[in-house]
Amino acid sequence: MIRWWVSALQLTELFVSVAVHLLYGLYIFSSAVAGDFSQTMYGWFFKPNMNLVVKEDEPRGTSKSTTNGDDLPPIVLVHGIFGFGKGRLGGLSYFAGAEKKDEKVLVPDLGSLTSIYDRARELFYYLKGGQVDYGEEHSKACGHSQFGRIYEQGHYSEWDEDHPIHFVGHSAGAQVVRVLQQMLADKAFKGYENTSENWVLSLTSLSGAFNGTTRTYLDGMQPEDGRTMKPICLLQILRLGVIIYDWLDIGMLKDYYNFGFDHFNMTWKKMGILGLFHCLLGNTGPFASGDWILPDLTIQGSMQLNCHLQTFPNTYYFNYATKRTTKIMGFTVPSSIFGIHPLLFIRVLQMSQWSFPPDVSPPYKGYRDEDWHENDGALNTISTTHPRIPIEHPSCHITNDSECLPLQSGIWYYKIVEADHIFFIVNRERAGVQFDLIYDSIFERCRKHVFRKTPQNLPNEAHPNQ
């Protein structure tokens, strides 16, 4: 009887999780469609008079040709899991409009569910230009095409050691940048023998997924290996939905939102019905080979990545770690009811009570369940501060941004923020004034406190000796 009750509770939890995630996905999608529709209707009914040309006088002493904004390194915002870049979901912004705070910001659109490795490769070619090359060995091992999307023109083709870049990554986006930087150091891009880790000037993370998360096991990854999925779980339902979505290959929908698996050729035109059955049965595709993002977000998967990733001495690192839990009488519980997004509330509660099954070996030596109880609903706080497993990297905990000035390179500065995992993305109103405080601090740090040779001169800012 007890087993029946446990099974019933598990199925109920699965149903609630599926319903909440589906409703939130539909809400985001419908919001984007509604925004595009209203913008189109406004353009129809309030079409401006194209015959009138209004030219504003520029202030004396300034012009586009005389400002040095072009000399500034771009700030690249890298989205996390289920994220999207500029051009997807209509006019909706993953970073809730933060990209408008600086005149030189790039927001790439990477695979929302592709592996950390594949996304790092995509990000390189997005910036430098050319056709995405996933590498012959990796592509054969994972069963997908070696080449992907073509960028006729790189978004920052001059990128090199003398023209480095600031990166800001949310969630898995931060780990993508770390893998990319290691690839640059290892000269892993064919035809680019001059790459180095110094192409990355700084990395700022918002809830960075550096050490994995116990949520992956709650969603359906097997804690025994961190790579396979349980037979019945939220991720299995996601897997089926993604396969069917890609197989149907509805151009208008995929232009609006794409999971990023085009290089797996899962469309009906290329694999037919028989291929669909093989994918659904788990014989082929990204979920069969493990070349998707969830295995990279388990503790075991993150450890495998971290074994090959370095903290580089000439790069500046700053992290905003997040938590939405507190301790009451020794127990970790959600710190708020209304301050946690409904999408995350159940997971905050579950993650705060998580423990590895007693018959499963801990993922690393010295692992303790209680270290992983603080969380933001998607990632454990211990994972978002700095890389720490299997080897702890140099770090410094601060409470105020000014405490780390002047910045030292090669150290992971981190600040713990009371916020859930999606507090600083998609919906700007949720974060309120904290949204501006965080992003203004990030952009100011990039523009005024992070440099290798000489301080940067901002547009319209006088030189010190003038």
Side-chain angles (χ1 to χ4, degrees):
M1 180 64 74
I2 294 177
R3 290 183 60 186
W4 280 103
W5 273 108
V6 171
S7 298
L9 286 172
Q10 289 174 337
L11 289 174
T12 301
E13 190 275 332
L14 176 60
F15 175 79
V16 172
S17 294
V18 170
V20 169
H21 285 79
L22 185 60
L23 286 172
Y24 185 67
L26 291 173
Y27 163 72
I28 295 294
F29 193 85
S30 60
S31 297
V33 172
D36 282 359
F37 180 75
S38 62
Q39 195 171 24
T40 302
M41 294 298 291
Y42 182 87
W44 282 351
F45 289 104
F46 301 97
K47 190 175 182 180
N49 187 345
M50 301 303 293
N51 295 322
L52 295 177
V53 178
V54 179
K55 184 177 180 180
E56 296 183 2
D57 292 331
E58 294 181 351
R60 289 185 180 180
T62 63
S63 68
K64 290 185 178 180
S65 61
T66 60
T67 60
N68 52 6
D70 289 341
D71 297 333
L72 294 173
I75 298 172
V76 181
L77 306 182
V78 186
H79 64 74
I81 185 173
F82 291 110
F84 49 93
K86 190 174 182 180
R88 296 287 184 188
L89 282 179
L92 197 65
S93 168
Y94 179 86
F95 288 92
E99 61 271 22
K100 297 176 183 178
K101 286 181 170 288
D102 188 274
E103 67 175 42
K104 204 166 183 181
V105 176
L106 298 172
V107 190
D109 181 66
L110 308 175
S112 65
L113 283 180
T114 51
S115 65
I116 299 289
Y117 175 95
D118 287 359
R119 292 181 64 192
R121 305 290 292 192
E122 293 163 8
L123 180 55
F124 177 84
Y125 290 98
Y126 166 90
L127 293 165
K128 288 296 288 183
Q131 186 171 23
V132 177
D133 183 353
Y134 295 103
E136 183 178 3
E137 184 179 346
H138 170 83
S139 302
K140 285 182 178 179
C142 297
H144 61 66
S145 300
Q146 180 180 344
F147 299 100
R149 183 174 176 179
I150 298 174
Y151 293 97
E152 298 289 351
Q153 179 66 39
H155 289 77
Y156 193 58
S157 56
E158 60 266 47
W159 186 29
D160 59 21
E161 190 166 327
D162 294 324
H163 302 86
I165 288 177
H166 297 287
F167 287 93
V168 178
H170 175 251
S171 189
Q175 191 76 325
V176 168
V177 177
R178 292 192 68 217
V179 170
L180 172 59
Q181 186 176 25
Q182 190 64 55
M183 289 178 177
L184 294 170
D186 296 340
K187 306 187 187 309
F189 296 95
K190 189 175 181 180
Y192 296 91
E193 286 73 26
N194 66 332
T195 62
S196 78
E197 64 275 11
N198 292 329
W199 286 30
V200 178
L201 181 52
S202 73
L203 167 59
T204 302
S205 78
L206 290 166
S207 307
F210 298 120
N211 304 292
T213 170
T214 57
R215 170 163 177 164
T216 56
Y217 311 117
L218 292 165
D219 287 342
M221 299 301 292
Q222 296 278 16
E224 288 84 356
D225 59 11
R227 292 195 63 81
T228 57
M229 284 184 281
K230 300 171 184 175
I232 301 176
C233 62
L234 179 64
L235 294 179
Q236 287 285 7
I237 295 172
L238 169 67
R239 180 183 73 89
L240 298 177
V242 170
I243 290 172
I244 293 172
Y245 185 91
D246 266 30
W247 186 83
L248 291 174
D249 194 27
I250 302 173
M252 186 171 64
L253 281 180
K254 291 188 74 174
D255 286 342
Y256 217 63
Y257 188 83
N258 195 332
F259 292 105
F261 292 125
D262 291 344
H263 52 305
F264 277 92
N265 303 311
M266 294 194 295
T267 67
W268 62 272
K269 296 177 184 176
K270 296 182 178 179
M271 66 163 45
I273 294 195
L274 184 61
L276 172 63
F277 282 128
H278 278 296
C279 269
L280 292 174
L281 291 173
N283 298 326
T284 60
F287 306 101
S289 65
D291 191 31
W292 66 302
I293 199 166
L294 260 297
D296 292 336
L297 295 180
T298 62
I299 297 177
Q300 296 96 325
S302 294
M303 283 182 61
Q304 290 178 0
L305 284 175
N306 287 339
C307 283
H308 309 287
L309 302 180
Q310 303 175 56
T311 292
F312 294 99
N314 293 328
T315 300
Y316 296 86
Y317 302 94
F318 196 98
N319 302 333
Y320 293 90
T322 46
K323 75 181 185 78
R324 259 304 185 188
T325 55
T326 188
K327 283 193 178 293
I328 298 179
M329 299 179 65
F331 294 94
T332 305
V333 296
S335 60
S336 171
I337 295 178
F338 300 107
I340 301 174
H341 195 282
L343 179 72
L344 302 173
F345 186 84
I346 293 177
R347 288 296 185 255
V348 171
L349 182 61
Q350 291 174 316
M351 291 173 69
S352 67
Q353 305 302 317
W354 165 262
S355 61
F356 254 82
D359 57 337
V360 175
S361 299
Y364 61 89
K365 186 177 180 180
Y367 169 87
R368 299 188 310 167
D369 286 325
E370 56 267 32
D371 294 336
W372 291 78
H373 284 167
E374 287 188 339
N375 70 88
D376 63 7
L379 293 176
N380 312 86
T381 304
I382 191 175
S383 179
T384 60
T385 59
H386 61 284
R388 58 171 78 220
I389 57 170
I391 298 172
E392 183 146 357
H393 292 230
S395 65
C396 179
H397 180 206
I398 63 170
T399 54
N400 296 307
D401 291 7
S402 59
E403 291 178 25
C404 62
L405 300 178
L407 284 166
Q408 294 184 48
S409 57
I411 296 176
W412 291 86
Y413 295 96
Y414 68 92
K415 177 181 180 181
I416 298 178
V417 181
E418 186 71 22
D420 63 36
H421 193 67
I422 58 176
F423 197 65
F424 298 108
I425 61 171
V426 182
N427 188 346
R428 183 172 185 161
E429 284 69 30
R430 283 194 70 225
V433 68
Q434 284 197 65
F435 181 93
D436 292 305
L437 291 174
I438 290 286
Y439 281 106
D440 286 347
S441 178
I442 292 172
F443 290 127
E444 181 180 2
R445 188 182 308 112
C446 290
R447 294 303 183 214
K448 293 186 177 181
H449 302 292
V450 174
F451 45 85
R452 290 202 183 115
K453 295 178 181 178
T454 56
Q456 304 162 88
N457 290 309
L458 302 183
N460 303 324
E461 183 178 68
H463 292 268
N465 55 359
Q466 285 183 339

